[in-house]
Amino acid sequence: MRRALLVTVALTAASALAAGCDPSDPAATGPAVSPVPSRASAAPTDSAGPASPAAPTSSAAAPPASPAGPPKKLRPGAEGAAVLALQNRLTALGYWNGKPDGKFGSTTQQAVFALQKAAKLGRDGVVGPRTHQALERGVRPAAKSTSGKFVEIDLKRQLLLLVQEGRVEQIFNTSTGSNEYYEQDGETYLADTPRGRFRVSRQIDGWRNAPLGLLWRPKYFNGGIAVHGAPSVPAHPASHGCARVSIAAMNWLWSHDEIPVKTRVWVY
């Protein structure tokens, strides 16, 4: 009994140590290297079997229903007019998926993940009947902020939203803290993304070689916790505390100056 109590106390103490994905010196920077293609892993749901791995290029999937019958399922690797139609529909709804090109790659799969999350569907990255219906209904997440510019990070749905004056302008798949314990330098930490309101305080234009892994072009908003690009952005919480987006998405955020220093960030 006493041993169980000690373990409980130890875990409680460890939960206070949430260092984030970059727990080192805030002023430190890492060497810049060439970007890595974005890949997304998938969770099961809208498809009959396990989700296919994402293709290394970009693009999306999901044609509108045709009079001849239900639309064909679209998954990574698909190409053609149906994929282009889906990409255009995702873009119209605000789900960022790069430039429509008729090829269902990892960037499109990221947008499909985001749509499935907003629609409370299974997150498999495949555009099946229920995901088609969500597209047709025009499912979009609502913002919590009502004025000003915010980056909103919805932990429950695992979505990152760009919001202006209460309107959601862009929607991204994100992967935040896994809420699992991990060891670093002999200490136990909780991989969580704390809720609250913050501001972007610093940024690095390149790779940051942090103690817990590489971060692409991070925008720090809470100590060592940042929005950053990563080669892997699954549809579930998997980070040490940061909000991951795809490398392509992070490049777009930088090129359009969407998250400058001092931008407000609301994590809920």
Side-chain angles (χ1 to χ4, degrees):
M1 180 71 179
R2 183 173 180 180
R3 182 177 180 182
L5 179 60
L6 289 173
V7 171
T8 302
V9 171
L11 286 177
T12 302
S15 68
L17 300 172
C21 50
D22 190 0
S24 57
D25 179 3
T29 59
V33 298
S34 299
V36 179
S38 171
R39 289 180 179 268
S41 57
T45 288
D46 210 349
S47 65
S52 301
T57 55
S58 70
S59 274
S66 72
K72 180 182 177 182
K73 284 185 180 180
L74 295 171
R75 62 183 70 239
E79 297 186 15
V83 172
L84 184 60
L86 172 64
Q87 291 172 330
N88 287 328
R89 179 61 172 160
L90 288 166
T91 297
L93 292 175
Y95 294 94
W96 189 85
N97 68 126
K99 183 178 179 180
D101 62 1
K103 299 177 183 178
F104 195 145
S106 60
T107 299
T108 295
Q109 188 184 44
Q110 289 287 303
V112 173
F113 280 152
L115 170 66
Q116 290 173 333
K117 290 176 176 183
K120 299 180 180 179
L121 299 174
R123 308 165 182 182
D124 63 357
V126 174
V127 183
R130 283 181 284 184
T131 302
H132 276 289
Q133 291 168 9
L135 278 169
E136 292 171 356
R137 296 198 313 271
V139 173
R140 284 168 46 87
K144 281 204 170 184
S145 60
T146 57
S147 62
K149 179 176 178 135
F150 274 89
V151 173
E152 296 189 14
I153 299 174
D154 185 332
L155 297 180
K156 183 176 181 179
R157 291 185 291 185
Q158 291 289 282
L159 292 172
L160 185 147
L161 314 175
L162 299 186
V163 182
Q164 184 78 42
E165 303 301 333
R167 174 176 171 76
V168 176
E169 297 189 333
Q170 294 290 336
I171 309 157
F172 298 85
N173 177 52
T174 191
S175 178
T176 61
S178 67
N179 287 308
E180 296 179 356
Y181 292 100
Y182 65 94
E183 299 288 332
Q184 185 196 5
D185 298 330
E187 298 286 347
T188 300
Y189 298 91
L190 178 65
D192 73 332
T193 306
R195 290 173 168 80
R197 298 197 187 199
F198 312 94
R199 284 185 183 269
V200 175
S201 58
R202 60 192 178 93
Q203 60 189 17
I204 297 172
D205 189 3
W207 283 107
R208 161 64 178 143
N209 190 4
L212 296 175
L214 288 168
L215 318 179
W216 176 242
R217 305 181 88 175
K219 302 265 190 177
Y220 295 90
F221 62 86
N222 181 13
I225 296 177
V227 175
H228 71 83
S232 173
V233 188
H236 59 273
S239 81
H240 288 95
C242 286
R244 299 181 191 172
V245 296
S246 70
I247 287 175
M250 201 67 207
N251 286 340
W252 183 88
L253 291 167
W254 269 82
S255 66
H256 288 75
D257 198 25
E258 289 289 349
I259 314 181
V261 171
K262 297 185 179 180
T263 297
R264 289 178 289 180
V265 179
W266 188 354
V267 183
Y268 53 80

